[in-house]
Amino acid sequence: MDTRFGYTFPAIRGIQAKREYYVSMCPLRLIPRIFLYNEIELKPELRAQRTLNKNRIPDITRYILKNSNDYVFSAITASIDGDVVFTPLNPEVDGGKVGVLHVPMDSKFLINDGQHRRAAIESALEENPELGEETIAVVFFLDIGLERCQQMFADLNRYAIRPSRSLGVLYDYRDDLANLCRLMILRSNLFRDIVEMEKSSLSKRSRKLFTLSAIYKATSALLANIDIVDINEGSIIANEYWEEVAKQMNEWQLVRDGKVTSGEIRTDFIHSHGVILESLGVIGNLLMNKYPQKWKSQLRPLKKIDWSRSNYQLWEGRAMNGGRVSNTNQNVILTTNILKKTLNLPLTDEENRFESAFLSKNNGK
């Protein structure tokens, strides 16, 4: 091969499954040029990767542009269809593993993992061309056919597991609300020792009563469109609200005082689950705006509610579906309706539509 014409990548040669592969660094400006995405609609069995979900690209693009000083990307994995040549810099050092990878100009590159990163990089470069000189790691495999590429895609994604929503909140320092929730929990007499910070679901044996992801979502609803000076003020407002709610929940108090276990409460009652917390957040937002000086007293009727799971007549179809607690948008709205009625608060037009449809469905049974 004539190595004068083509791409050259500084690379490290490795062996995996008895096959050579290469690890290199590629300038971002080259990513859209050499990794062309085939937009032609092909049957799944003729593709070597999933179709591009264009809805994901703007979010990844914004992530790059808003965090241009500290964004992080993992390596792109690609296959090369071409007669590549690897030239060691010094065959006598480290077995000749460090060198230059020569790729003919007419070679084809296929992304096995990272096509959404590639599309977002292209989009970000249009707004900020200076990013083009930065680099991303690329792992190159040699293409030996469609079947092998499809198997690579399956293998690369076989054991991929997204981190739990709680862990995402715990480790996210760019999100002001995540920072606020962590600070609130740290300071809170209610939450400090009974919030699961890593998992987004709780086992029956868990000593925790709430999950961080549920607290995050509920607090987001609570503080929506409320003017807050900083994270510290927001955490104080949120903590004050949830402490007041806790006064209306005898079972929460019992768990905090160590008189009953979290598992017992979660088994028999629904008020520590995400659907209830989010509905309470919606209620709190309305009360703080409607009654800024006396919202606390407006919460007292919550004590009258029977929160037990066995109260199917009240909760089935609202907070529960088929006897299981559910946290869909519809469940949140229908649960919020019950809380609003209890507190004599008006329903929005959307809430009235959901309520009418729910009553019509259940009255027809």
Side-chain angles (χ1 to χ4, degrees):
M1 182 186 78
D2 189 343
T3 58
R4 294 175 300 172
F5 301 100
Y7 302 102
T8 58
F9 299 94
I12 299 174
R13 178 174 57 184
I15 300 293
Q16 200 172 94
K18 301 179 180 179
R19 295 186 177 94
E20 286 192 0
Y21 73 100
Y22 309 91
V23 180
S24 183
M25 297 291 168
C26 185
L28 296 188
R29 59 183 168 77
L30 288 183
I31 295 297
R33 298 180 189 177
I34 63 176
F35 297 114
L36 301 178
Y37 184 78
N38 185 0
E39 295 288 352
I40 299 175
E41 288 296 325
L42 295 175
K43 294 181 179 180
E45 61 268 24
L46 298 179
R47 292 197 306 262
Q49 58 196 137
R50 76 189 84 189
T51 57
L52 196 69
N53 182 351
K54 294 184 179 180
N55 293 328
R56 291 180 56 192
I57 297 171
D59 289 338
I60 305 175
T61 301
R62 282 192 294 271
Y63 164 72
I64 301 171
L65 295 173
K66 288 181 64 176
N67 304 285
S68 58
N69 292 326
D70 61 351
Y71 70 92
V72 178
F73 271 156
S74 57
I76 288 176
T77 303
S79 295
I80 306 175
D81 181 7
D83 297 323
V84 305
V85 173
F86 178 76
T87 305
L89 292 179
N90 189 338
E92 305 301 323
V93 177
D94 292 328
K97 296 178 181 177
V98 179
V100 177
L101 184 66
H102 304 275
V103 183
M105 190 69 70
D106 60 354
S107 296
K108 295 180 181 179
F109 297 83
L110 173 68
I111 294 181
N112 303 106
D113 182 59
Q115 66 263 37
H116 291 92
R117 273 165 278 161
R118 174 239 174 262
I121 288 170
E122 181 177 22
S123 179
L125 287 172
E126 293 175 359
E127 295 191 42
N128 185 2
E130 293 182 3
L131 291 170
E133 297 306 311
E134 299 191 4
T135 59
I136 186 171
V138 181
V139 180
F140 290 115
F141 289 90
L142 301 183
D143 184 2
I144 53 175
L146 177 63
E147 182 177 336
R148 171 61 180 165
C149 288
Q150 289 177 336
Q151 186 63 60
M152 286 174 61
F153 175 84
D155 289 347
L156 287 167
N157 290 278
R158 186 182 305 275
Y159 302 109
I161 300 176
R162 289 177 61 86
S164 69
R165 291 189 298 275
S166 288
L167 194 60
V169 174
L170 181 63
Y171 290 165
D172 191 348
Y173 291 88
R174 292 193 178 96
D175 184 346
D176 286 341
L177 181 61
N179 293 328
L180 184 156
C181 287
R182 291 194 302 270
L183 181 59
M184 177 187 71
I185 290 169
L186 180 66
R187 293 173 169 176
S188 172
N189 291 326
L190 168 65
F191 291 136
R192 190 181 304 121
D193 297 319
I194 57 174
V195 175
E196 171 55 59
M197 304 296 282
E198 292 188 54
K199 301 174 183 177
S200 292
S201 60
L202 297 175
S203 68
K204 291 183 178 180
R205 295 184 178 182
S206 175
R207 295 189 297 175
K208 308 298 184 181
L209 187 60
F210 311 100
T211 64
L212 176 56
S213 58
I215 297 297
Y216 174 90
K217 198 169 184 180
T219 303
S220 175
L222 172 66
L223 300 179
N225 302 317
I226 291 181
D227 291 330
I228 297 172
V229 174
D230 54 26
I231 292 173
N232 181 62
E233 182 191 37
S235 69
I236 292 173
I237 293 173
N239 185 50
E240 185 179 14
Y241 175 74
W242 291 119
E243 288 283 351
E244 193 64 32
V245 169
K247 294 177 183 178
Q248 322 308 321
M249 306 289 188
N250 292 330
E251 293 78 20
W252 291 11
Q253 302 284 343
L254 294 174
V255 172
R256 179 163 61 177
D257 296 340
K259 295 180 179 179
V260 297
T261 66
S262 298
E264 290 178 276
I265 298 305
R266 289 181 65 83
T267 297
D268 297 335
F269 300 90
I270 66 170
H271 47 34
S272 63
H273 290 261
V275 61
I276 302 296
L277 293 177
E278 188 173 352
S279 296
L280 288 168
V282 173
I283 294 297
N285 182 268
L286 178 58
L287 290 177
M288 286 184 177
N289 283 291
K290 190 176 179 68
Y291 306 105
Q293 303 303 321
K294 56 177 184 177
W295 59 265
K296 291 184 180 181
S297 62
Q298 301 298 315
L299 289 170
R300 290 171 188 165
L302 291 176
K303 280 190 174 181
K304 302 176 183 177
I305 297 177
D306 179 0
W307 300 100
S308 58
R309 281 177 179 260
S310 59
N311 187 7
Y312 294 111
Q313 185 174 358
L314 181 62
W315 300 121
E316 182 60 34
R318 294 184 185 273
M320 300 192 302
N321 292 328
R324 296 177 63 87
V325 178
S326 180
N327 197 30
T328 68
N329 181 60
Q330 176 174 305
N331 290 123
V332 172
I333 291 174
L334 291 173
T335 300
T336 300
N337 290 354
I338 284 293
L339 303 190
K340 281 191 171 185
K341 289 178 181 180
T342 302
L343 303 182
N344 293 316
L345 295 172
L347 304 186
T348 65
D349 291 341
E350 181 186 32
E351 289 165 345
N352 271 314
R353 287 195 299 272
F354 274 87
E355 189 68 17
S356 296
F358 173 79
L359 294 176
S360 176
K361 177 181 177 182
N362 285 271
N363 288 337
K365 290 183 178 180

